[in-house]
Amino acid sequence: MDSVEVPQYFTCPISLQIMKDPVTTITGITYDRENIERWLLVDDHPMCPVTKQPLPRDSDLTPNHTLRRLIQAWCVVNASRGVERIPTPKVPVDGPSIRKLVHGLSVPRLQLDSLNLIAALARENESNRRCMLQNGVAGAMVDVINTCTERKQMDRIDVALGVLDSLRVAPDDLKAIVDGDRRIIDSMTWILQLGAGDDRDVRSTATLVLKSVIEVAGSRVLEQLTPDFFQAVLSLVRDRISQQGTKAALQVLLHAAAWGRNRIKIVEAGGVKEIVELELTAPDKRTTELNLGLLNQLCATADGRAELVGHAAGIATVSKRILRVSSLADDQGVRILSSLCRYSATNEVLQEMMSLGAVSKLCLVLQANCPDPVKEKARLILRLHSGLWKDSPCLHSYLLSRYT
């Protein structure tokens, strides 16, 4: 294939690959359908990649059948040279067809077939997924998840979750579907409580969907989250079902922790221990930022601070991450140490901070290229307890005297 010269007008201007389903935009330029649909989806101000003219997201894409037949004929002629034939693309689905499938979901004998067909169409291309969003498939999937959870029909839940995740429902649209309805939260709680064996992928997908739901949930839903919910989400952190699933679980907890009472529920569910244990596995940068952000929220409570101090690796883990990960991690780490020094500053805690190098790390923050607010917070901590720390053999005296 590398030695075959491909006619320039057979290639998509976006991918520079042979077009499989050429379509022409209102600007007169032909692209491969999958590429131009993705381009229109991700661009905030979509325009034609070639002419730079405005190109509305809902603009018609006209199939270029003549060019597609020429490409297919050329592929057949060059088959002996390693060129694969381009199959005839399937016709994108239309609104009436999707609405008929949605109706089938409410008929018991048709539900499974309709659900599987919707899933197959959603996997095909972006055009199908966009048509589904416009014709109520997202809401129908939520209904299927809730109904099948009551009936413990895991095979159907798995399919519905996959479709809902692939649709990437806009926040405002998702809020309109789930706002004020606790059933989807209860359904997700039950799914996440499943064992970590054969249902590993289901739990991971459920976490991604749950993250989207929690981000648009109103205060009434957030304040009603149960201890079982937090135990279920933390089980994902503990089981480490997937890197993506773990991050989504942390984001769920972080968003829920913005509601003060939920911090106590997370702590009582063992959240501090699970986060510290996860951090001890040396995760990637983003996971560490989420871990420290959540610990900072939990340390706003007395129980959260007690759990962190009581963990053998709690203070050491937070201190070690400062100046090693990112400026965001630095800020969260210093905030955590500040909470401990202001509200849980027993002699044992302060001595442990000294012996584990947390105080030396705070001095280094003042020397590093950290933002001024982070430096100021570190300086306040050092001033607050300089009387105890200044004579410690664990700290060079000139460090402390220089910054206090």
Side-chain angles (χ1 to χ4, degrees), residues 76-90:
V76 171
V77 170
N78 289 277
S80 61
R81 304 172 69 181
V83 178
E84 296 183 3
R85 186 179 184 278
I86 303 296
T88 301
K90 296 180 180 179

Side-chain angles (χ1 to χ4, degrees), residues 132-352:
M132 290 179 181
L133 284 171
Q134 295 168 349
N135 288 277
V137 170
M141 291 302 103
V142 171
D143 289 338
V144 168
I145 292 169
N146 290 333
T147 301
C148 292
T149 298
E150 295 172 358
R151 300 170 182 171
K152 307 297 189 288
Q153 295 173 311
M154 279 306 305
D155 56 338
R156 304 184 186 199
I157 293 173
D158 187 11
V159 178
L161 283 171
V163 173
L164 190 56
D165 181 46
S166 70
L167 291 180
R168 297 190 294 273
V169 187
D172 288 344
D173 295 335
L174 185 59
K175 184 177 180 64
I177 295 171
V178 304
D179 193 28
D181 187 355
R182 275 199 49 82
R183 290 184 304 159
I184 187 62
I185 300 294
D186 294 337
S187 297
M188 292 298 175
T189 301
W190 180 79
I191 295 167
L192 298 182
Q193 287 174 331
L194 297 171
D198 296 335
D199 298 313
R200 195 180 189 93
D201 291 340
V202 182
R203 295 171 72 212
S204 182
T205 306
T207 312
L208 300 178
V209 172
L210 178 60
K211 170 181 170 291
S212 299
V213 170
I214 287 293
E215 287 175 348
V216 301
S219 58
R220 195 175 81 176
V221 172
L222 291 177
E223 69 182 0
Q224 293 177 351
L225 295 175
T226 65
D228 285 345
F229 171 82
F230 291 112
Q231 289 172 359
V233 176
L234 283 167
S235 72
L236 294 164
V237 177
R238 180 175 59 253
D239 296 338
R240 308 190 201 347
I241 56 174
S242 70
Q243 189 176 68
Q244 189 179 27
T246 299
K247 289 179 182 177
L250 293 172
Q251 288 170 308
V252 168
L253 294 170
L254 195 55
H255 194 84
W259 188 265
R261 296 175 185 173
N262 288 337
R263 298 170 190 168
I264 298 295
K265 297 175 185 177
I266 296 172
V267 172
E268 291 176 345
V272 173
K273 175 180 178 295
E274 297 299 346
I275 299 306
V276 173
E277 295 293 331
L278 174 60
E279 193 56 35
L280 288 174
T281 66
D284 63 18
K285 170 186 171 182
R286 182 55 183 154
T287 302
T288 290
E289 291 174 343
L290 291 170
N291 284 339
L292 294 180
L294 184 54
L295 285 176
N296 179 42
Q297 292 273 27
L298 300 183
C299 282
T301 69
D303 289 345
R305 294 190 297 273
E307 288 289 323
L308 183 63
V309 170
H311 194 292
I315 294 177
T317 300
V318 173
S319 173
K320 186 176 181 180
R321 294 298 179 262
I322 297 174
L323 299 181
R324 289 193 174 190
V325 179
S326 67
S327 59
L328 177 58
D330 296 342
D331 179 56
Q332 300 291 357
V334 171
R335 286 176 182 272
I336 293 168
L337 296 182
S338 176
S339 293
L340 298 182
C341 289
R342 290 176 64 190
Y343 305 113
S344 302
T346 64
N347 283 335
E348 290 79 4
V349 170
L350 297 177
Q351 290 294 346
E352 183 177 1

Side-chain angles (χ1 to χ4, degrees), residues 25-89:
T25 66
I26 58 176
T27 62
I29 307 299
T30 298
Y31 302 92
D32 200 12
R33 180 186 294 276
E34 182 179 359
N35 294 328
I36 189 61
E37 286 181 345
R38 187 183 302 113
W39 179 279
L40 294 176
L41 181 68
V42 302
D43 195 344
D44 292 334
H45 304 287
M47 62 177 63
C48 177
V50 173
T51 67
K52 306 304 180 185
Q53 294 175 317
L55 197 59
R57 295 185 194 280
D58 57 353
S59 60
D60 290 332
L61 300 176
T62 305
N64 193 328
H65 297 300
T66 300
L67 180 57
R68 191 246 309 157
R69 293 190 187 102
L70 286 173
I71 293 173
Q72 289 177 323
W74 180 84
C75 290
V76 171
V77 170
N78 289 277
S80 61
R81 304 172 69 181
V83 178
E84 296 183 3
R85 186 179 184 278
I86 303 296
T88 301

Side-chain angles (χ1 to χ4, degrees), residues 95-110:
S97 300
I98 293 298
R99 289 193 292 272
K100 183 177 180 180
L101 289 173
V102 170
H103 173 72
L105 294 172
S106 61
V107 181
R109 63 183 178 83
L110 299 177

